[in-house]
Amino acid sequence: MNHTHLSLADQIFNLFETRGNATYGEDVTVLQHSLQSAHFAREAGVSEALIVAALLHDIGHLIHTEGEDIAERGVDAEHEDIGDEWLSAHFPAEITEPARLHVAAKRYLCAVNSAYLSELSEASVLSLSLQGGPMTLEEQASFEKEPFFQDALTLRKFDDLGKEPSLEVAPLESYRELIEQFAFESNPV
Ligand code: FE
């Protein structure tokens, strides 16, 4: 499809609308999950950048071309890296870094907080082992040095909350201005 006439926000909304209806192993679709994550970020009163990060953290799920049963087949899509490559072309580090680190944040929290692992969704536990399992002490120490370490942990909290099948939240359109505010180019790309 030729996207040259579309704004970045429109391109993102198109991706969610055309590819965001897959459930990727959770009880919610990627679109529902992304909107709910952003909703909880908004509710918590975090920075605007972190709200956008929450909305877009799983965009890699919409870009990769594997099927939605990918984790069940024992494959890690590395959606956070696929998403990062795409997001980095359009947004600053305060958005891309917490998103890139959202899987690392899960591996970190599983290592430092035993209660955290028991509260994870089934799909998250399944993907954890494919993603490398809980972090080693060495991995924890280097993760703590990441400039966006705290934001990554905060984003992870919204990520884990955004899995409610019956929760209705604000639509994509309510994030248009925020997306346009942070995007490198307001002109069509
Ligand atoms: Fe997520």
Side-chain angles (χ1 to χ4, degrees):
M1 201 206 298
N2 185 345
H3 285 303
T4 51
H5 59 297
L6 294 177
S7 71
L8 184 62
D10 283 324
Q11 289 181 49
I12 290 170
F13 295 171
N14 269 2
L15 261 182
F16 275 115
E17 280 154 10
T18 57
R19 307 198 70 172
N21 294 311
T23 56
Y24 73 123
E26 301 285 358
D27 295 330
V28 288
T29 66
V30 178
L31 173 57
Q32 285 176 306
H33 169 64
S34 301
L35 289 174
Q36 289 184 12
S37 299
H39 160 82
F40 286 114
R42 254 182 186 163
E43 259 200 342
V46 298
S47 72
E48 291 182 328
L50 201 52
I51 294 171
V52 177
L55 181 70
L56 302 180
H57 76 278
D58 269 341
I59 201 155
H61 280 303
L62 308 182
I63 296 169
H64 79 70
T65 53
E66 303 285 343
E68 59 190 276
D69 63 338
I70 184 162
E72 287 149 41
R73 290 186 285 117
V75 181
D76 180 11
E78 291 173 359
H79 69 280
E80 69 279 20
D81 293 331
I82 295 164
D84 181 55
E85 202 178 307
W86 194 89
L87 287 176
S88 295
H90 305 290
F91 294 101
E94 58 195 312
I95 289 172
T96 61
E97 282 297 282
R100 181 179 70 84
L101 295 171
H102 79 274
V103 170
K106 176 173 80 172
R107 296 184 55 228
Y108 177 85
L109 288 167
C110 286
V112 302
N113 178 358
S114 55
Y116 177 78
L117 179 59
S118 65
E119 287 161 16
L120 277 179
S121 71
E122 215 176 294
S124 266
V125 173
L126 178 64
S127 57
L128 174 67
S129 59
L130 299 171
Q131 291 157 345
M135 279 186 177
T136 63
L137 285 174
E138 207 175 21
E139 288 172 324
Q140 290 167 41
S142 84
F143 183 61
E144 286 165 1
K145 292 194 195 104
E146 289 283 352
F148 291 91
F149 162 67
Q150 285 298 344
D151 278 352
L153 295 185
T154 305
L155 170 56
R156 187 70 219 184
K157 199 167 62 183
F158 308 136
D159 187 1
D160 292 326
L161 286 171
K163 300 180 178 181
E164 294 289 335
S166 58
L167 179 64
E168 291 285 336
V169 294
L172 282 172
E173 201 56 48
S174 70
Y175 297 96
R176 180 182 292 276
E177 269 180 39
L178 268 191
I179 289 171
E180 283 168 358
Q181 178 183 324
F182 284 102
F184 290 147
E185 301 173 57
S186 54
N187 296 324
V189 285

